Amino acid sequence: MAGSPSRAVGRRLQLPLLCFFLQGATAVLFAVFVRYNHKTDAALWHRGNHSNADNEFYFRYPSFQDVHAMVFVGFGFLMVFLQRYGFSSVGFTFLLAAFALQWSTLVQGFLHSFHSGHIHVGVESMINADFCAGAVLISFGAVLGKTGPAQLLLMALLEVVLFGINEFVLLHLLGVRDAGGSMTIHTFGAYFGLVLSRVLYRPQLEKSKHRQGSVYHSDLFAMIGTIFLWIFWPSFNSALTALGAGQHRTALNTYYSLAASTLGTFALSALVGEDGRLDMVHIQNAALAGGVVVGTSSEMMLTPFGALAAGFLAGTVSTLGYKFFTPILESKFKVQDTCGVHNLHGMPGVLGALLGVLVAGLATHEAYGDGLESVFPLIAEGQRSATSQAMHQLFGLLVTLMFASVGGGLGGLLLKLPFLDSPLDSQCYEDQVHWQVPGDHEDEAQRPLRVEEADTQA
Amino acid sequence: MAGSPSRAVGRRLQLPLLCFFLQGATAVLFAVFVRYNHKTDAALWHRGNHSNADNEFYFRYPSFQDVHAMVFVGFGFLMVFLQRYGFSSVGFTFLLAAFALQWSTLVQGFLHSFHSGHIHVGVESMINADFCAGAVLISFGAVLGKTGPAQLLLMALLEVVLFGINEFVLLHLLGVRDAGGSMTIHTFGAYFGLVLSRVLYRPQLEKSKHRQGSVYHSDLFAMIGTIFLWIFWPSFNSALTALGAGQHRTALNTYYSLAASTLGTFALSALVGEDGRLDMVHIQNAALAGGVVVGTSSEMMLTPFGALAAGFLAGTVSTLGYKFFTPILESKFKVQDTCGVHNLHGMPGVLGALLGVLVAGLATHEAYGDGLESVFPLIAEGQRSATSQAMHQLFGLLVTLMFASVGGGLGGLLLKLPFLDSPLDSQCYEDQVHWQVPGDHEDEAQRPLRVEEADTQA
Amino acid sequence: MAGSPSRAVGRRLQLPLLCFFLQGATAVLFAVFVRYNHKTDAALWHRGNHSNADNEFYFRYPSFQDVHAMVFVGFGFLMVFLQRYGFSSVGFTFLLAAFALQWSTLVQGFLHSFHSGHIHVGVESMINADFCAGAVLISFGAVLGKTGPAQLLLMALLEVVLFGINEFVLLHLLGVRDAGGSMTIHTFGAYFGLVLSRVLYRPQLEKSKHRQGSVYHSDLFAMIGTIFLWIFWPSFNSALTALGAGQHRTALNTYYSLAASTLGTFALSALVGEDGRLDMVHIQNAALAGGVVVGTSSEMMLTPFGALAAGFLAGTVSTLGYKFFTPILESKFKVQDTCGVHNLHGMPGVLGALLGVLVAGLATHEAYGDGLESVFPLIAEGQRSATSQAMHQLFGLLVTLMFASVGGGLGGLLLKLPFLDSPLDSQCYEDQVHWQVPGDHEDEAQRPLRVEEADTQA
């Protein structure tokens, strides 16, 4: 299985050269700019001398591990549902995230923690980089199966920069609250990927249609991803919220929202399913919409009831999206959305942003008490009314959609550069284009040993 | 593959209607009764103003994530061993747990933390709800493959209530100690499920016998469940024990007990296995019996040796149960126990309760020192002797068996309601009854791309 | 499938007898020597009375769970790549680790925490035992598929003792620093296993060659292992470092190193791959070399740039090792290294030790400030210069190589004892020798139910 020589050469050199270049450039920038922060540097941190507030920083660490586990296991395996694209799904997740972690450490560092000529890194920067990697992986879901690894690295190169700028505009310039990233992560990642997929539209994609479905075992692998996303989402949304009540409330709201979105998803999936049967695609994805929809508001005083209602709504909307909207998206809007990120991240992300507008607009000093300072510092300091905060939240959503769309468009043009190795229309969703793939089953020569034979030989 | 119209209509409507009703009712009850507790509410929690004792509450949070991971990944994948029931095993686990979490928050809240007309929720209530979901999933294991999702939701509706009442009677009325739930979770869940399975006895189940085994890959998926249960069991048993020495001792005892039960299981599995070969069913299940058997006593001064001995005993008993008792249970007692929950949760749970009787009876002020107050508060306050505590522990076991049996019987009658969609005897252990199932393998049309062809096209 | 009677009897009795003996002996030693330490014993720990320093011990607990998860899920599933050896890979991982945990608690306890006639155990002893289990599982990787469970238990019996002695010599006699175990865990485990595999060299192993590869799904299972190792490696390296800055810096360095080794691995894998295609073996393994290579130095002031450079180097060296050195190792050196532990643990471990020599030699009071005491206490106390510390580190590597080689040789002789049940050359990499194995696929009788039929029956 040799392949034409020129394509093999392209494959052999493009990815290595890009990896060398990106890693080399990153390493140089790290050498010049990146330093341990005062909680990570041996000389700057003083044990025994830290106040209660400093003491609390310990607690970020378990959150980091939870987020880290969720992003890699969750997104990595969720995309393994395709029958012949498991190596690429989990392998490129790894590659993309490994690059995005480093690159976003630099980008976010320049924007957020650059002082005295250096970027200062620590546990928070790891969590922030994981968040950014999450957005990149969401975009990956939209173009899954239709792009090569070199293309994906270039996508990440651009997306990480725009993610950082968008996040900086929202959180620092507009004073928007978005702890779990309904806007900055989910809406941004989804629409960046969808617009990019629009630009890369393949009219002949039906040549690979037969490989676009799942097989029994690949769906079970994907459920590993679903479950890890589901269980660690409370930690994801609460990873950077105020320690104490803020973090616990965020986790609790996310937990309730996910539970309700799961029931909503099962209800709708059976209701609209062929013969009333459930569809694994819905369960794998829409059941998670509850985590997305409270990304902005779960740190707020959403109330447990509010979390349930939001989650149920998100689960139903997301399921209906998979059933009815995804086909329209492809046929009418020419957007081929492999994983349905519009249903899991796009719509629930926008709904989550709007829910954040609503809950922020209802904020009062009575409801938040001393906690107002950590949730809405600008309201607490009297610089803003709740209504003004709500308007800023809404504006943040529009800014995000703008950055995502323009970025996705630019990304699409970048990925269309003619020298980039991209799978043919008939090669999509196929690991063999990128990987040396073993067979599916032991052939005759590999038949299981009959032990009695072997014993006789002895 | 159309199915008869009436069954398709039943399938299409029963599950959605039940989900809508249960989620709607839960949401209304949440709106009326559920509020953030003082560690979760922005206005009630005061940062910087908390004592050491308050400070400690941070530490519950990592425990919550561990328990959450164990219940979902563990139970979800442990049941995937069946060759054609993986979607249902992991999917219904999700559905059942998502409902049980919400419903038990209400039930446990009414019983334990209802004051001033409200239920107050926080991290502890999430852990408690996860525990209750664990019991429901144990019962699910007994009826796995033989019940539809609407039946399972009704089972959970009843079981969660009885779980809450039984737990309340034991912990609050009888002053029984049961941190890891040998009685409240494992014994209760197992016998509830077994009695329910008895009532639902299917004499014609051999029609589905050919689907009751595993295939090679499904056994590997099940081992994901086993390993997650094994590694997080120390956190499970210690999640709600006294922070500090109590939590660490509980984890340590559980860790030793599991290690010993693993060796016991391997020893017995080879000893009784066909040709001296190991049986994957034993390893997947009996190796975990060490976690169950110290559920009551791991927070006590069991000693490391005691933990090893208990674990080894549990591993051997559980393995022997799978080999010799499960067939008798079906043939003589007409209990069809799909996952062998009697061997993993039933017998080890009862043994664990009895071990708790023994260890409680041996408690002295010398052995526990200041720690007596957190492990046996009633003995510390002089209200009870150690012998009296032991008698109460024993009585707690009897109460649990009573609640589980009566509850399982009622549950069986409930699930037999004629209008409920239940798989036929010939349809058991089969995902296609409930799910749209993709094929197992790429068919000819889906054969892997030959890359040289594709390259030539380019 | 009966097998010859004598072999079946051997199988039936050897493993059980060994398990009974080892567990019995361990239990007796536990009864005599093992006691809770003062942070785990109810009577010795005083709540409310603990200083800040004591308070910190809480934070070890989440680290324990992370290490525990990494060792079991990571190593367990990483080795499932073989097409017909998944049960043994994950099952024997379980068995070996369960025994190693107990046995190393005793060995390490006698060496490190034996006073007043007792071994005192707590959270730290669980982490240390997990570390030792990790080394045993690395050695297991070298002989995977070619040894029976009784042989493996004997290997662990010996290796745990030598691991403990080597670690004691390095950390306590030589004052070597090795927080994440580049030397004590990876180098030791790898060369112990490789020398052992050399002694057990099978010239006729090509009889089982057809079973030595992977199949599509087994590679995906192995990626579960890879991802868990990757995400929890920061916790692994930092589990026993100084709480606070030390732990965070260690995690951060490991995180960067892994990210860079991932890019290096993808670059090299495509560069040297057939037709420029990626090789799953490289991604599964070499991408993790970044965790190994900073095992010694990640707690030091390696700098973020240093972590990236080290990781990238390790990823490339490891990938080249899989491609070019593993075949030579077998053909020239007669070492059959099933999992390529020489590439993932051996070479990166030695590189990591040398990196530790370098970074230790560069240590200054300015760079470490107050932190010098926790990273290099002997330098801080003026007992050693940085150069002297570096020389000690180098000597530690030599000692480790010596202990590993001699130990592996002894282990090989032990495992060659003629009465030990060992698979024949034609039976290697085959689960059926040790397990009752179900079929791969449903046969005709087990064909999926056609639901319309069933519906008609109703």
Side-chain angles (χ1 to χ4, degrees):
Chain A
M1 202 181 299
S4 76
S6 69
R7 291 186 64 82
V9 170
R11 254 197 307 261
R12 186 185 297 288
L13 293 183
Q14 236 170 58
L15 179 61
L17 287 178
L18 196 57
C19 285
F20 285 134
F21 171 73
L22 293 176
Q23 186 61 70
T26 307
V28 170
L29 292 169
F30 262 63
V32 178
F33 293 114
V34 178
R35 299 291 178 271
Y36 300 122
N37 71 10
H38 74 281
K39 293 172 184 171
T40 321
D41 189 291
L44 301 180
W45 188 73
H46 300 280
R47 184 171 173 276
N49 187 10
H50 46 285
S51 71
N52 243 3
D54 279 344
N55 203 356
E56 289 178 350
F57 89 93
Y58 286 122
F59 295 99
R60 292 290 179 208
Y61 186 66
S63 296
F64 154 64
Q65 277 292 173
D66 290 347
V67 170
H68 205 46
M70 171 172 151
V71 168
F72 279 80
V73 186
F75 287 111
F77 275 93
L78 186 59
M79 296 193 260
V80 177
F81 72 98
L82 289 169
Q83 56 183 266
R84 296 287 309 170
Y85 208 65
F87 285 16
S88 303
S89 295
V90 72
F92 298 162
T93 289
F94 227 173
L95 174 67
L96 274 178
F99 169 61
L101 295 181
Q102 301 177 50
W103 181 226
S104 70
T105 297
L106 286 165
V107 171
Q108 295 178 329
F110 278 119
L111 290 165
H112 296 289
S113 59
F114 192 73
H115 41 90
S116 328
H118 289 126
I119 293 166
H120 295 88
V121 294
V123 169
E124 284 84 359
S125 65
M126 290 197 281
I127 297 175
N128 274 314
D130 270 335
F131 278 173
C132 178
V136 172
L137 294 173
I138 291 167
S139 303
F140 178 35
V143 297
L144 188 77
K146 300 170 295 181
T147 40
Q151 288 182 303
L152 291 170
L153 281 175
L154 289 181
M155 180 188 84
L157 183 69
L158 176 68
E159 183 170 1
V160 166
V161 175
L162 291 171
F163 175 94
I165 297 175
N166 181 57
E167 190 191 49
F168 182 76
V169 171
L170 263 65
L171 305 190
H172 291 265
L173 301 188
L174 295 177
V176 162
R177 302 297 296 182
D178 194 22
S182 286
M183 286 176 273
T184 53
I185 300 169
H186 299 287
T187 303
F188 179 83
Y191 288 99
F192 184 99
L194 291 166
V195 172
L196 195 151
S197 187
R198 173 68 190 81
V199 178
L200 298 181
Y201 179 67
R202 290 169 180 262
Q204 305 284 311
L205 192 57
E206 77 274 15
K207 286 185 186 173
S208 293
K209 210 76 187 177
H210 54 284
R211 255 181 268 107
Q212 212 181 337
S214 61
V215 287
Y216 195 73
H217 282 114
S218 68
D219 270 326
L220 286 176
F221 277 115
M223 277 304 285
I224 299 176
T226 301
I227 288 193
F228 272 87
L229 289 165
W230 207 91
I231 54 178
F232 286 120
W233 216 300
S235 284
F236 185 89
N237 281 349
S238 69
L240 290 177
T241 54
L243 288 165
Q247 194 166 36
H248 289 205
R249 186 174 60 250
T250 310
L252 196 68
N253 287 330
T254 308
Y255 172 92
Y256 289 140
S257 180
L258 283 162
S261 72
T262 303
L263 264 82
T265 300
F266 271 89
L268 268 285
S269 184
L271 198 63
V272 304
E274 189 191 312
D275 287 321
R277 288 195 182 87
L278 296 160
D279 187 335
M280 208 25 141
V281 172
H282 304 160
I283 309 307
Q284 281 162 3
N285 293 280
L288 298 166
V292 178
V293 81
V294 296
T296 301
S297 56
S298 52
E299 73 165 332
M300 305 175 186
M301 290 292 284
L302 176 60
T303 78
F305 164 75
L308 286 185
F312 190 77
L313 177 69
T316 54
V317 166
S318 182
T319 307
L320 293 173
Y322 276 97
K323 182 74 183 181
F324 300 111
F325 194 61
T326 294
I328 295 173
L329 205 61
E330 174 157 6
S331 60
K332 295 272 187 278
F333 297 92
K334 298 192 188 307
V335 177
Q336 291 155 331
D337 178 9
T338 311
C339 292
V341 301
H342 187 254
N343 309 305
L344 173 49
H345 302 280
M347 290 189 296
V350 171
L351 280 178
L354 296 176
L355 183 63
V357 172
L358 177 69
V359 182
L362 295 173
T364 61
H365 282 84
E366 290 69 39
Y368 288 80
D370 288 0
L372 193 60
E373 201 186 311
S374 64
V375 182
F376 295 114
L378 298 176
I379 303 181
E381 294 160 16
Q383 296 187 30
R384 252 182 213 178
S385 68
T387 311
S388 165
Q389 179 68 35
M391 288 302 102
H392 281 83
Q393 296 281 139
L394 185 61
F395 189 60
L397 173 62
L398 300 177
V399 169
T400 300
L401 288 170
M402 192 269 294
F403 267 106
S405 305
V406 173
L410 289 174
L413 296 176
L414 181 67
L415 268 61
K416 279 187 130 169
L417 288 176
F419 56 83
L420 282 176
D421 193 38
S422 173
L424 302 175
D425 290 342
S426 60
Q427 288 178 326
C428 290
Y429 318 119
E430 172 58 57
D431 273 336
Q432 274 193 75
V433 180
H434 312 292
W435 300 83
Q436 299 171 41
V437 176
D440 263 348
H441 314 294
E442 314 80 50
D443 61 23
E444 265 309 291
Q446 293 170 323
R447 71 179 165 78
L449 180 76
R450 270 185 279 153
V451 176
E452 67 274 34
E453 287 179 47
D455 283 351
T456 321
Q457 292 168 31
Chain B
M1 203 181 298
S4 76
S6 68
R7 291 186 64 83
V9 170
R11 254 198 307 262
R12 186 185 297 286
L13 292 182
Q14 237 171 56
L15 179 61
L17 288 178
L18 196 56
C19 286
F20 285 134
F21 171 74
L22 292 176
Q23 186 61 71
T26 306
V28 170
L29 291 169
F30 263 63
V32 178
F33 292 114
V34 179
R35 300 291 178 271
Y36 300 122
N37 71 11
H38 73 281
K39 294 172 182 170
T40 320
D41 189 290
L44 300 181
W45 189 73
H46 300 279
R47 185 172 172 275
N49 187 10
H50 46 286
S51 72
N52 244 4
D54 279 344
N55 203 357
E56 289 178 350
F57 88 94
Y58 287 121
F59 296 99
R60 291 291 179 207
Y61 187 66
S63 296
F64 154 64
Q65 277 293 173
D66 290 347
V67 170
H68 205 46
M70 169 172 153
V71 168
F72 279 80
V73 185
F75 286 112
F77 275 92
L78 186 59
M79 295 192 261
V80 177
F81 73 98
L82 289 169
Q83 56 183 265
R84 296 287 309 170
Y85 208 65
F87 286 16
S88 303
S89 294
V90 72
F92 298 162
T93 289
F94 225 175
L95 174 66
L96 273 178
F99 170 61
L101 295 182
Q102 301 177 50
W103 181 226
S104 70
T105 298
L106 286 165
V107 170
Q108 295 177 329
F110 278 119
L111 290 165
H112 297 287
S113 60
F114 192 73
H115 41 89
S116 328
H118 289 128
I119 292 166
H120 295 88
V121 293
V123 168
E124 284 84 358
S125 65
M126 290 198 281
I127 297 175
N128 274 314
D130 270 335
F131 278 174
C132 178
V136 172
L137 294 174
I138 291 167
S139 304
F140 178 35
V143 297
L144 188 77
K146 300 170 294 182
T147 40
Q151 286 181 305
L152 290 170
L153 282 174
L154 289 181
M155 180 188 85
L157 183 70
L158 176 68
E159 184 170 0
V160 166
V161 175
L162 291 171
F163 175 93
I165 297 175
N166 181 58
E167 189 190 49
F168 182 77
V169 171
L170 263 65
L171 306 190
H172 292 264
L173 301 188
L174 295 177
V176 162
R177 302 296 297 181
D178 194 21
S182 286
M183 286 176 271
T184 55
I185 300 169
H186 299 286
T187 304
F188 179 83
Y191 289 98
F192 185 98
L194 291 166
V195 172
L196 195 150
S197 187
R198 172 69 189 80
V199 178
L200 299 181
Y201 179 67
R202 290 169 179 263
Q204 305 284 311
L205 191 58
E206 76 273 16
K207 286 185 185 174
S208 293
K209 210 76 186 177
H210 53 285
R211 254 181 267 108
Q212 211 180 337
S214 61
V215 287
Y216 194 74
H217 281 114
S218 68
D219 269 325
L220 286 176
F221 277 115
M223 277 304 285
I224 299 176
T226 300
I227 289 193
F228 271 87
L229 288 165
W230 206 92
I231 54 178
F232 286 120
W233 216 300
S235 285
F236 185 88
N237 281 348
S238 68
L240 290 177
T241 54
L243 288 164
Q247 194 165 36
H248 289 206
R249 187 173 59 249
T250 310
L252 195 68
N253 286 330
T254 308
Y255 172 92
Y256 290 140
S257 180
L258 284 162
S261 72
T262 303
L263 264 83
T265 300
F266 272 89
L268 268 285
S269 185
L271 198 63
V272 303
E274 189 192 311
D275 287 320
R277 289 195 181 87
L278 296 160
D279 187 334
M280 209 22 141
V281 171
H282 304 160
I283 310 307
Q284 281 162 3
N285 293 281
L288 298 166
V292 178
V293 81
V294 296
T296 302
S297 56
S298 51
E299 73 165 331
M300 305 174 186
M301 291 291 286
L302 177 60
T303 78
F305 164 75
L308 287 185
F312 190 77
L313 178 70
T316 54
V317 166
S318 183
T319 307
L320 293 173
Y322 275 98
K323 182 74 182 180
F324 300 111
F325 195 60
T326 294
I328 295 175
L329 205 62
E330 175 157 5
S331 60
K332 295 272 188 277
F333 296 92
K334 298 190 189 308
V335 177
Q336 292 154 330
D337 178 8
T338 311
C339 292
V341 301
H342 189 254
N343 309 307
L344 172 50
H345 303 280
M347 288 188 297
V350 171
L351 280 178
L354 295 176
L355 183 62
V357 172
L358 178 69
V359 182
L362 296 173
T364 61
H365 283 82
E366 290 69 38
Y368 288 79
D370 287 0
L372 193 60
E373 201 186 312
S374 64
V375 182
F376 295 115
L378 297 177
I379 302 181
E381 295 160 16
Q383 295 187 30
R384 251 182 212 177
S385 68
T387 311
S388 166
Q389 179 69 33
M391 288 302 104
H392 280 83
Q393 297 281 137
L394 185 62
F395 190 59
L397 173 62
L398 301 177
V399 169
T400 299
L401 288 169
M402 193 269 295
F403 267 107
S405 306
V406 173
L410 288 175
L413 297 176
L414 181 68
L415 268 61
K416 279 188 131 169
L417 288 177
F419 56 82
L420 282 176
D421 192 39
S422 172
L424 301 175
D425 290 342
S426 60
Q427 290 178 325
C428 289
Y429 317 119
E430 172 58 57
D431 273 337
Q432 274 194 74
V433 179
H434 311 293
W435 300 83
Q436 299 170 41
V437 176
D440 264 347
H441 312 295
E442 314 80 51
D443 61 24
E444 265 310 292
Q446 292 170 326
R447 69 179 166 78
L449 179 76
R450 270 186 278 154
V451 176
E452 68 273 33
E453 288 179 45
D455 283 351
T456 321
Q457 293 169 31
Chain C
M1 202 180 301
S4 76
S6 69
R7 290 186 64 83
V9 169
R11 255 197 307 262
R12 185 185 298 287
L13 292 182
Q14 236 169 58
L15 179 62
L17 287 178
L18 196 57
C19 285
F20 284 134
F21 171 73
L22 293 177
Q23 185 62 71
T26 306
V28 169
L29 292 169
F30 262 64
V32 178
F33 293 113
V34 179
R35 300 290 179 271
Y36 301 122
N37 71 10
H38 74 282
K39 294 173 183 170
T40 320
D41 189 291
L44 300 181
W45 188 74
H46 299 280
R47 183 172 174 275
N49 187 10
H50 45 285
S51 71
N52 244 3
D54 280 344
N55 202 356
E56 289 178 350
F57 89 93
Y58 286 122
F59 295 98
R60 292 290 180 208
Y61 187 66
S63 296
F64 154 64
Q65 277 291 173
D66 290 348
V67 171
H68 206 45
M70 170 173 151
V71 168
F72 279 81
V73 185
F75 288 111
F77 275 93
L78 186 59
M79 295 192 261
V80 177
F81 73 99
L82 289 169
Q83 57 184 263
R84 296 287 310 170
Y85 209 64
F87 285 17
S88 303
S89 295
V90 73
F92 297 161
T93 289
F94 226 174
L95 174 66
L96 274 178
F99 170 60
L101 295 181
Q102 301 177 49
W103 181 226
S104 70
T105 298
L106 286 165
V107 171
Q108 295 177 329
F110 278 120
L111 291 164
H112 297 287
S113 60
F114 192 73
H115 41 90
S116 327
H118 289 127
I119 293 166
H120 295 88
V121 294
V123 168
E124 283 84 359
S125 64
M126 290 197 282
I127 297 175
N128 274 313
D130 270 335
F131 279 173
C132 178
V136 172
L137 294 174
I138 291 167
S139 303
F140 178 35
V143 298
L144 188 76
K146 301 172 293 183
T147 40
Q151 287 181 303
L152 291 169
L153 281 175
L154 289 181
M155 180 188 84
L157 184 69
L158 176 67
E159 183 170 1
V160 165
V161 175
L162 291 172
F163 175 94
I165 296 175
N166 181 58
E167 190 190 48
F168 181 77
V169 171
L170 263 66
L171 305 190
H172 291 265
L173 302 188
L174 296 176
V176 162
R177 302 297 296 181
D178 194 23
S182 286
M183 287 176 271
T184 54
I185 300 170
H186 299 287
T187 304
F188 179 83
Y191 289 98
F192 184 99
L194 291 166
V195 172
L196 195 150
S197 186
R198 173 67 191 79
V199 178
L200 299 181
Y201 179 67
R202 290 170 179 263
Q204 305 284 311
L205 192 58
E206 77 273 16
K207 286 185 186 175
S208 293
K209 211 77 188 175
H210 54 285
R211 254 180 267 107
Q212 211 181 337
S214 61
V215 288
Y216 194 73
H217 281 114
S218 68
D219 270 326
L220 286 176
F221 277 114
M223 278 302 286
I224 299 176
T226 301
I227 289 193
F228 272 88
L229 288 166
W230 206 92
I231 54 178
F232 286 119
W233 217 301
S235 285
F236 186 87
N237 281 349
S238 69
L240 290 177
T241 54
L243 288 165
Q247 194 165 36
H248 289 205
R249 187 174 59 250
T250 311
L252 196 68
N253 287 329
T254 308
Y255 173 91
Y256 289 140
S257 180
L258 284 162
S261 71
T262 303
L263 263 82
T265 300
F266 272 89
L268 267 285
S269 184
L271 198 63
V272 303
E274 189 191 311
D275 285 323
R277 289 195 181 87
L278 296 160
D279 187 333
M280 207 25 139
V281 172
H282 304 161
I283 310 307
Q284 281 161 3
N285 293 281
L288 298 166
V292 178
V293 81
V294 295
T296 301
S297 57
S298 52
E299 72 165 333
M300 304 175 186
M301 290 293 284
L302 176 62
T303 77
F305 164 75
L308 287 184
F312 190 77
L313 177 69
T316 55
V317 166
S318 183
T319 306
L320 293 174
Y322 275 98
K323 182 74 181 179
F324 300 111
F325 195 60
T326 294
I328 295 173
L329 205 61
E330 175 157 4
S331 60
K332 296 272 186 277
F333 297 91
K334 298 191 189 308
V335 178
Q336 291 154 330
D337 178 9
T338 312
C339 293
V341 301
H342 188 254
N343 309 306
L344 172 49
H345 302 280
M347 289 189 297
V350 171
L351 280 178
L354 296 176
L355 183 63
V357 172
L358 177 69
V359 182
L362 296 172
T364 61
H365 282 82
E366 290 69 39
Y368 288 80
D370 288 359
L372 192 61
E373 200 187 312
S374 64
V375 182
F376 295 115
L378 297 177
I379 303 181
E381 294 160 16
Q383 297 186 29
R384 253 184 212 175
S385 68
T387 311
S388 165
Q389 179 68 35
M391 288 302 104
H392 281 83
Q393 296 282 138
L394 185 62
F395 190 59
L397 173 61
L398 301 178
V399 169
T400 300
L401 288 169
M402 192 270 293
F403 267 107
S405 306
V406 173
L410 288 174
L413 296 177
L414 181 68
L415 268 60
K416 279 188 131 169
L417 288 177
F419 56 83
L420 282 176
D421 192 38
S422 172
L424 301 175
D425 290 342
S426 59
Q427 288 179 325
C428 289
Y429 317 119
E430 171 59 57
D431 274 336
Q432 274 192 77
V433 180
H434 311 293
W435 300 83
Q436 299 171 40
V437 176
D440 263 348
H441 313 293
E442 312 80 50
D443 62 23
E444 265 309 292
Q446 293 169 325
R447 71 179 165 78
L449 180 77
R450 270 186 278 154
V451 176
E452 67 273 32
E453 288 178 45
D455 282 352
T456 321
Q457 293 167 30

